[in-house]
Structures are given as structure tokens and as C-alpha cells.
């Protein structure tokens, strides 16, 4: 099975990857299921919403600061590096991720589409102010801040530049992802439950257009019914083997 997956990828002319929280699990970033009971007994679905933010911005910011702090200590794993390597080899044309952890970029992936934003980016709730904290070198300063962060431009509340439950994805980002999916001959789907829409349309579009789906997950997911090859296992271990086989 894994040999077949490697062969398919090596021979493909346009391959993409679609990733979810599971690809970062081996980096120590919990998946949403892994969160349960971990942070003040709130479910992410109760905190990652505009309603929660406007009701209690302090609580939601505390949750994001906690996650940002956890994520900044995480390093990419073999799966992130394998995807960057496949891109350098000219096999992979893009990585479309639902993750906000920035680990694909850290691993060296160039053509990266972040469907749900990035936890190190913040934006103003009133004006057009945006900041990428890694670029401005303000991650530490931000995490030490005791107050709810305010916009340096207009003084309104800042918020994480991520897509919350119930919010629309940025149209240009989604368009780009759909166009890549339409062209893809092969799509490697890694570590996603495949139940968050519209992101989960990506592999479905690939399949409808006659492309092949290779799935890597520790258990069956919403994508498994349309997967041509299902590789059960940890993302890092399986992806490392695939890259070795291709080389
Ligand atoms: P999910 O938490 O719903 O599902 C994770 C999937 O990964 C599951 O199917 C699980 O079986 C699989 N998995 C767990 N460990 C694995 C491993 N070592 N190797 C391979 N697969 C493994 O995640 P989702 O599908 O991405 O959807 C949840 C939403 O939560 C997304 O929209 C995402 O933005 C957000 N989220 C992001 C992060 C992050 O940025 N790292 C973390 C948690 C949640
Ligand atoms: Zn502002």
C-alpha cells in the first residue's frame, strides 16, 4: 500500500496535500479532541466563536494566549518536513492546511494555504490593522500582556486572525484552494477528521475531478470513504517512509 502511494506520488504531475490537526499531534500540539478537559473544562467550540469573544474577550484571549504559548514551543515533525521536501522535489505543488500553528512554514513549505488563519497573526476588530507577531518580533511581549490586547492604531480590541466556528473563510483563500483541488491528480490527506466545512470539500473536489486520494490517519475519518489508499499510522512515521521510498 505504502509503496503504491509513493509510486503514485512520484509519477504524478500535480500533487497537493490537505492537512489537519493530526499532522501536528507528534509535535505536541493537541488536536481538538485532545483538548477536551484540558483547558478550564471549556470545549474549543465554546471558545472559538465570535459570540464567545464578544461575551468575554478576556476569556477567549486567555485561551488563545495559552495555545500560542504551547504552539511557539512546538517544532515541526517528520511529516511537516516530508511535505516541504516533496515540494522541493517538484512533486508537491501546494499544502492546504486547516491548522493555525505555522508549523508547515517553519518546516520550509513555500506554497502554503492556511484556510483557517494563523495563531501568530492578529487583526483589529474595527480598523484594517493587522500584525504578524513573528515578523514584528512581539510574540513574547504579547504573551506577557495582562490586559486584553488593543489595536495600536485605533484602540479597539484586537482578535486572533483565525477563522472561528460560524465565520466565513476568506473568499480569495478558499478560491485558491478550490482551484488547486480542481487541478490535483493526487491529494495526500493527513490527520484531519474531515468534518469541518468548507475545508472538507477539498478532497471531495479532487475525487470528483478524477484525482486520487491518499489518506494518512491513525483512525478512519470522514474522508476515508473516498480514499483510494488509506494508510493507517502516525503522520510523521508514514510520511518519512514515503519520502524515503521516492528517493
Ligand atoms: P481534528 O482534531 O478534528 O482531527 C484530528 C485528526 O487527526 C483525527 O482524525 C485523528 O484521528 C487524526 N490524528 C491524530 N493524531 C494523528 C497522528 N499522529 N497522525 C495522523 N493522524 C492523527 O482536526 P481537524 O480535522 O484539523 O479539524 C479541527 C479544526 O481545529 C480545524 O479547523 C483546525 O483549524 C483546528 N485546530 C488546529 C490545530 C493546529 O493548528 N495544530 C489544533 C487543533 C485544532
Ligand atoms: Zn484598529
Amino acid at each position: 500500500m505504502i509503496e503504491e502511494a509513493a509510486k503514485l506520488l512520484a509519477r504524478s504531475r500535480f500533487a497537493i496535500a490537505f492537512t489537519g490537526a493530526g499532522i501536528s499531534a507528534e509535535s505536541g500540539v493537541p488536536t481538538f479532541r485532545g483538548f477536551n478537559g484540558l483547558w478550564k473544562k471549556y470545549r474549543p467550540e465554546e471558545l472559538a466563536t465570535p459570540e464567545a469573544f464578544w461575551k468575554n474577550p478576556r476569556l477567549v484571549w486567555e485561551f488563545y494566549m495559552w495555545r500560542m504559548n504551547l504552539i511557539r514551543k512546538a517544532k515541526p515533525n517528520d511529516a511537516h518536513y516530508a511535505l516541504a521536501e516533496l515540494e522541493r522535489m517538484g512533486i508537491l505543488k501546494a499544502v492546504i492546511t486547516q491548522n493555525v500553528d505555522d508549523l508547515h512554514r517553519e518546516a520550509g513549505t513555500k506554497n502554503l494555504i492556511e484556510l483557517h488563519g494563523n495563531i501568530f497573526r492578529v487583526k483589529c476588530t474595527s480598523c484594517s490593522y493587522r500584525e504578524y507577531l513573528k515578523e514584528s518580533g512581539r510574540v513574547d511581549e504579547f504573551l506577557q500582556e495582562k490586559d486584553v490586547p488593543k489595536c495600536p492604531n485605533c484602540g479597539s480590541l484586537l482578535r486572533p486572525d483565525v477563522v472561528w466556528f460560524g465565520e466565513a473563510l476568506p473568499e480569495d483563500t478558499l478560491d485558491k484552494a478550490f482551484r488547486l483541488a480542481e487541478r490535483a491528480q493526487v491529494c495526500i490527506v493527513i490527520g484531519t477528521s474531515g468534518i469541518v466545512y468548507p475545508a472538507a470539500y477539498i478532497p471531495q473536489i479532487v475525487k470528483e475531478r478524477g484525482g486520487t486520494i491518499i489518506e494518512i490517519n491513525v483512525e478512519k475519518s470522514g474522508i476515508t470513504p473516498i480514499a483510494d489508499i488509506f494508510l493507517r499510522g502516525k503522520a510523521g512515521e508514514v510520511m518519512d517512509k514515503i519520502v524515503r521510498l521516492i528517493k
Side-chain angles (χ1 to χ4, degrees):
M1 280 305 243
I2 195 162
E3 288 80 8
E4 200 185 329
K7 216 179 278 173
L8 267 167
L9 273 167
R11 287 181 186 158
S12 69
R13 273 175 296 112
F14 202 96
I16 61 170
F18 176 60
T19 68
I23 196 172
S24 298
E26 286 155 89
S27 294
V29 182
T31 62
F32 267 2
R33 204 179 292 172
F35 265 121
N36 283 345
L38 262 183
W39 196 80
K40 296 191 176 181
K41 306 228 180 300
Y42 288 100
R43 282 153 26 92
E45 295 88 329
E46 293 170 15
L47 291 165
T49 71
E51 292 77 18
F53 181 75
W54 290 112
K55 202 174 138 204
N56 195 343
R58 184 175 294 274
L59 178 73
V60 173
W61 259 119
E62 260 186 71
F63 171 61
Y64 276 92
M65 299 277 192
W66 175 75
R67 287 185 66 196
M68 205 192 284
N69 190 40
L70 198 146
I71 287 171
R72 73 204 278 254
K73 295 178 191 148
K75 302 261 178 301
N77 64 54
D78 284 349
H80 299 102
Y81 288 121
L83 293 180
E85 176 79 33
L86 289 177
E87 183 182 51
R88 282 193 294 274
M89 291 164 89
I91 293 172
L92 205 64
K93 305 300 183 214
V95 174
I96 303 169
T97 190
Q98 300 165 84
N99 295 346
V100 298
D101 58 29
D102 225 7
L103 292 178
H104 285 298
R105 188 173 287 108
E106 293 272 333
T109 289
K110 294 281 177 287
N111 195 15
L112 175 64
I113 295 173
E114 296 172 306
L115 288 177
H116 295 159
N118 183 311
I119 199 160
F120 296 104
R121 292 181 193 273
V122 297
K123 62 181 181 186
C124 179
T125 52
S126 305
C127 74
S128 59
Y129 183 81
R130 277 165 195 269
E131 184 177 344
Y132 179 33
L133 298 169
K134 278 192 185 171
E135 208 170 64
S136 61
R138 291 215 306 140
V139 176
D140 286 343
E141 185 186 326
F142 215 76
L143 288 170
Q144 276 156 20
E145 186 61 57
K146 292 279 172 291
D147 264 337
V148 175
K150 302 265 171 56
C151 173
N153 208 20
C154 75
S156 303
L157 285 182
L158 285 179
R159 59 163 280 178
D161 196 356
V162 301
V163 178
W164 282 329
F165 291 105
E167 286 188 318
L169 274 65
E171 215 173 306
D172 49 334
T173 310
L174 192 61
D175 264 11
K176 242 196 209 163
F178 282 175
R179 259 180 273 127
L180 285 163
E182 285 164 4
R183 292 182 65 186
Q185 281 181 336
V186 176
C187 179
I188 329 171
V189 178
I190 309 174
T192 176
S193 50
I195 51 173
V196 177
Y197 284 88
Y201 285 127
I202 307 288
Q204 290 179 20
I205 293 170
V206 175
K207 186 77 178 183
E208 278 161 20
R209 296 287 177 119
T212 304
I213 308 290
I214 300 170
E215 185 185 24
I216 301 166
N217 200 311
V218 290
E219 58 185 41
K220 286 186 177 165
S221 77
I223 310 290
T224 315
I226 62 160
D228 297 277
I229 299 182
F230 177 73
L231 303 171
R232 189 186 294 270
K234 289 187 177 176
E237 291 170 13
V238 178
M239 281 311 298
D240 189 54
K241 275 189 204 146
I242 289 182
V243 169
R244 283 171 201 273
L245 284 167
I246 292 177
K247 278 180 173 166

